[in-house]
Amino acid sequence: MARADRLARIDADRIEHETDYRAALVAALQTTAKGRWGLFGHQGKKGETPASVATVTALIELGETIDDLRDTLGMEPFALHADFVAARGPVRSDAVGEPKQAQAWLARLEQESGTA
């Protein structure tokens, strides 16, 4: 019974952290969509600001915490975090800018959650 209670607490923590992650990512995407670069790291160190570095660091740390909880529960890694990490980094010169990329992410997340 103690193991079941422990797993239930871990799962509740996972759900709370995933909700926090999504909210933090949406807030960061909204800021980026307004023209602030750095979230996706398209320009490397040149495009970093202290705020973008802090935001990315917080998202990565929270994503890793979620993945650890999911691993404990025998679940797949957190897909939203994996997608975000995969979307970061330098891109070709003809790729869309970070603000447009952020707008596309916001539209996708709204569609997935069913909100308008």
Side-chain angles (χ1 to χ4, degrees), residues 81-100:
H81 177 62
D83 291 347
F84 173 66
V85 170
R88 295 197 77 249
V91 295
R92 295 176 19 166
S93 61
D94 61 345
V96 298
E98 288 191 25
K100 285 188 180 181

Side-chain angles (χ1 to χ4, degrees), residues 65-102:
T65 298
I66 293 166
D67 282 344
D68 289 345
L69 293 171
R70 284 175 154 265
D71 185 53
T72 300
L73 295 166
M75 299 173 74
E76 294 290 321
F78 187 37
L80 182 58
H81 177 62
D83 291 347
F84 173 66
V85 170
R88 295 197 77 249
V91 295
R92 295 176 19 166
S93 61
D94 61 345
V96 298
E98 288 191 25
K100 285 188 180 181
Q101 185 176 8

Side-chain angles (χ1 to χ4, degrees), residues 6-101:
R6 180 177 163 270
L7 292 176
R9 282 193 308 274
I10 291 171
D11 196 40
D13 287 346
R14 174 196 61 84
I15 292 167
E16 182 178 340
H17 287 321
E18 287 180 5
T19 301
D20 292 346
Y21 184 97
R22 184 181 175 88
L25 180 60
V26 166
L29 290 168
Q30 289 170 338
T31 299
T32 302
K34 292 176 185 171
R36 293 255 173 119
W37 287 63
L39 182 64
F40 291 105
H42 286 188
Q43 297 175 325
K45 296 266 185 207
K46 177 180 146 191
E48 290 181 350
T49 64
S52 68
V53 170
T55 298
V56 169
T57 299
L59 284 168
I60 288 174
E61 288 175 356
L62 186 53
E64 289 172 352
T65 298
I66 293 166
D67 282 344
D68 289 345
L69 293 171
R70 284 175 154 265
D71 185 53
T72 300
L73 295 166
M75 299 173 74
E76 294 290 321
F78 187 37
L80 182 58
H81 177 62
D83 291 347
F84 173 66
V85 170
R88 295 197 77 249
V91 295
R92 295 176 19 166
S93 61
D94 61 345
V96 298
E98 288 191 25
K100 285 188 180 181
Q101 185 176 8

